[in-house]
Amino acid sequence: TPPREENVVATATTPPRTRPRMGISSCPLFLVRAIVALSILAAFFLPEGYWNDIFHATLDQTKVKATTTSNNAPQPTLDIIETKQVTILCQLSGEMGNNLGKLGHCLSLKWWLEGGTFYNSTLRRGYRARIALRHQDHNKWVKGAADLRRCFPNTKHYDFGEGNTDEFVRIFNQQNEVFGVTGRWPQYGVNPFSGINDVSEDPMVRQKARTEAMHRLVEKVGTNHAIIPTANDKNITIPFLFADHIQTLDRFVDQYYDELRHYYRFDNSCCKLQPDPDESVFHFRNFKGEMPRRWNSYGFVEADPQQTAASLFGHLTVGEKVAIITRFGSDAVQPYVEALQLKGLKVRVIEGQDGPADFCFLMSARKEIVGVAYSTYLIWAGYLGNATRVVAYSTTGRKGHKFINYTHPVLRDRFDFPLVRPMR
């Protein structure tokens, strides 16, 4: 089916006017002359590209007044007469924790695009994004999708296999051809806007790549925009974004923290056991137990029992309580129990629950939760939960605090990123 061009006029996001605009003809003559004089001075004395730089402000520099709708998509107060649709194809992977990060990245891209940063004031053009999902080929997606739908009500409407079609592959290759990119599926990392998935540890480098990719997108929307109908009665736009990034320790979370918490409302029917209000919760991820052949090569090194007791729970005093929660515990958890008990702490182990119930346990902690920073499960429980303190440690420095500089007051006060060194 050939693409059809789209030119949508949107009035829903344009606020009502309480009084008519003041035109130049209604201004006093001295004011008109002053405006003209200032414009001439600006043209001569401001550096070349000044206004272009102002228009292309980055995420941190652009502030747009917005309201929130029922689905929590920011609605900017902008004078929009044309709205262009953009599809964000969201590649999922893993189970619940990873998928929260993957979908969170796509939601952040959607809110960023719609929120006014890329508003074209000349054409008065805005953007509306639709998220489409594509599950991974491994059958882990089945449980991951079921957990999301059951425990996060705002995800129930998604078709988790919308992008798993030959039709999507054809459209992916068609987009690359249109924009002169040589890669073809399954080389999905090679696409015109791959900068949105940049994984540089330096947040400034990562943000620069994302911003450049988004500017490239809106440029192409202005010159090569089309809607391609699909067999499932939906559509994919060209251009579209292919998002494949797990959002964890990320500036997007800082920017859209309130929106993400609202969107990821948790259904308490997924909960089972609960921590005591004065109980510290330790998430023993045990990558070594889950992936014995790959954990070390991936750098997923966790603190040993002695490091955990001395460095992560050294602030606790005799008689205080620690709950260890784990899905891959078996015999590996017992040395941690013994190390903590040697400090005079009261320890219990929570195991045998399903993933959402463990997630609820972490979210429900009031005092503190502690775990390795490589765990998307722990990080998102920290984001969406209510713990006073979240300790996300690393053993190599790759996820150290030097890369995290939260500005949201809740995140800034709640999260701590210590580097746990081997004990001598």
Side-chain angles (χ1 to χ4, degrees):
T1 305
R4 68 171 182 268
E5 292 294 327
E6 180 212 16
N7 186 4
V8 180
V9 177
T11 58
T13 57
T14 305
R17 304 191 187 283
T18 57
R19 60 182 180 181
R21 289 180 174 177
M22 179 179 287
I24 291 179
S25 61
S26 61
C27 293
L29 183 58
F30 78 88
L31 184 56
V32 174
R33 289 173 176 171
I35 293 172
V36 172
L38 288 173
S39 300
I40 294 171
L41 288 172
F44 275 98
F45 292 103
L46 288 177
E48 185 179 355
Y50 176 84
W51 297 113
N52 188 58
D53 290 341
I54 290 295
F55 176 73
H56 292 295
T58 61
L59 177 64
D60 290 336
Q61 296 169 322
T62 303
K63 302 296 180 183
V64 178
K65 181 180 178 182
T67 57
T68 302
T69 62
S70 58
N71 69 356
N72 215 46
Q75 301 293 317
T77 306
L78 299 170
D79 186 12
I80 296 175
I81 64 171
E82 180 188 32
T83 300
K84 288 288 191 179
Q85 295 183 17
V86 175
T87 304
I88 300 175
L89 204 293
C90 194
Q91 175 67 59
L92 302 179
S93 65
E95 297 184 75
M96 194 174 72
N98 281 4
N99 284 332
L100 287 172
K102 287 289 190 78
L103 181 55
H105 181 60
C106 297
L107 288 166
S108 298
L109 290 170
K110 170 182 168 67
W111 295 330
W112 193 23
L113 181 62
E114 294 177 348
T117 300
F118 305 97
Y119 170 64
N120 188 317
S121 58
T122 302
L123 300 175
R124 288 187 287 174
R125 176 187 294 154
Y127 306 92
R128 179 66 61 215
R130 183 183 75 86
I131 295 175
L133 303 185
R134 184 182 190 279
H135 65 70
Q136 70 182 122
D137 295 331
H138 192 286
N139 60 11
K140 286 178 93 172
W141 80 269
V142 177
K143 187 176 186 306
D147 287 344
L148 279 182
R149 283 198 179 113
R150 180 165 63 93
C151 302
F152 295 92
N154 284 329
T155 68
K156 288 182 178 180
H157 70 281
Y158 285 113
D159 174 0
F160 281 71
E162 180 181 343
N164 294 83
T165 63
D166 292 338
E167 189 174 34
F168 164 71
V169 172
R170 177 181 59 80
I171 295 171
F172 179 94
N173 290 336
Q174 181 180 347
Q175 169 164 275
N176 278 7
E177 290 173 6
V178 168
F179 297 125
V181 178
T182 57
R184 295 293 180 267
W185 190 268
Q187 294 176 301
Y188 52 79
V190 182
N191 67 77
F193 317 108
S194 58
I196 62 169
N197 302 316
D198 190 271
V199 294
S200 302
E201 287 189 334
D202 186 333
M204 297 302 294
V205 173
R206 188 164 62 240
Q207 187 61 24
K208 182 175 184 291
R210 290 175 178 173
T211 304
E212 290 174 351
M214 291 294 274
H215 282 306
R216 192 176 305 115
L217 170 76
V218 298
E219 176 191 349
K220 298 302 183 185
V221 166
T223 58
N224 296 87
H225 187 257
I227 295 179
I228 301 178
T230 57
N232 56 11
D233 294 327
K234 296 182 181 178
N235 59 67
I236 296 178
T237 62
I238 287 183
F240 70 89
L241 294 176
F242 186 84
D244 181 28
H245 174 68
I246 301 176
Q247 184 166 289
T248 51
L249 307 180
D250 195 286
R251 294 177 69 194
F252 268 162
V253 176
D254 191 32
Q255 184 77 10
Y256 297 111
Y257 177 65
D258 295 323
E259 289 86 348
L260 288 164
R261 276 185 66 98
H262 179 86
Y263 191 89
Y264 282 143
R265 176 173 55 87
F266 194 80
D267 186 338
N268 288 332
S269 67
C270 294
C271 301
K272 294 180 182 177
L273 298 177
Q274 294 283 293
D276 295 333
D278 60 345
E279 192 170 36
S280 299
V281 178
F282 174 49
H283 178 231
F284 178 43
R285 179 61 179 80
N286 194 9
F287 284 111
K288 184 177 180 178
E290 182 191 5
M291 45 185 75
R293 292 181 297 178
R294 295 174 294 167
W295 68 277
N296 197 26
S297 62
Y298 286 172
F300 294 162
V301 180
E302 298 176 61
D304 64 30
Q306 288 69 38
Q307 289 174 310
T308 299
S311 300
L312 300 176
F313 293 101
H315 60 289
L316 298 185
T317 58
V318 173
E320 293 194 86
K321 297 182 290 186
V322 177
I324 303 177
I325 190 160
T326 183
R327 287 179 61 202
F328 306 99
S330 64
D331 296 334
V333 73
Q334 189 57 34
Y336 290 87
V337 174
E338 294 171 359
L340 293 169
Q341 287 177 337
L342 282 175
K343 288 181 56 65
L345 304 177
K346 297 178 180 179
V347 184
R348 63 170 174 152
V349 178
I350 310 298
E351 55 185 338
Q353 299 191 122
D354 59 19
D358 282 357
F359 192 81
C360 177
F361 193 93
L362 287 165
M363 286 178 58
S364 302
R366 293 287 177 177
K367 184 178 180 180
E368 63 179 351
I369 62 175
V370 180
V372 66
Y374 306 116
S375 171
T376 57
Y377 196 79
L378 173 96
I379 296 298
W380 277 95
Y383 287 148
L384 303 179
N386 298 296
T388 302
R389 182 169 178 253
V390 178
V391 180
Y393 75 88
S394 66
T395 58
T396 64
R398 289 177 55 205
K399 292 285 184 181
H401 65 279
K402 65 181 180 179
F403 297 118
I404 306 301
N405 186 23
Y406 291 128
T407 59
H408 193 288
V410 172
L411 298 177
R412 186 181 61 234
D413 296 341
R414 177 181 295 176
F415 274 81
D416 185 21
F417 298 95
L419 179 60
V420 176
R421 298 288 189 184
M423 297 186 67
R424 296 183 183 277

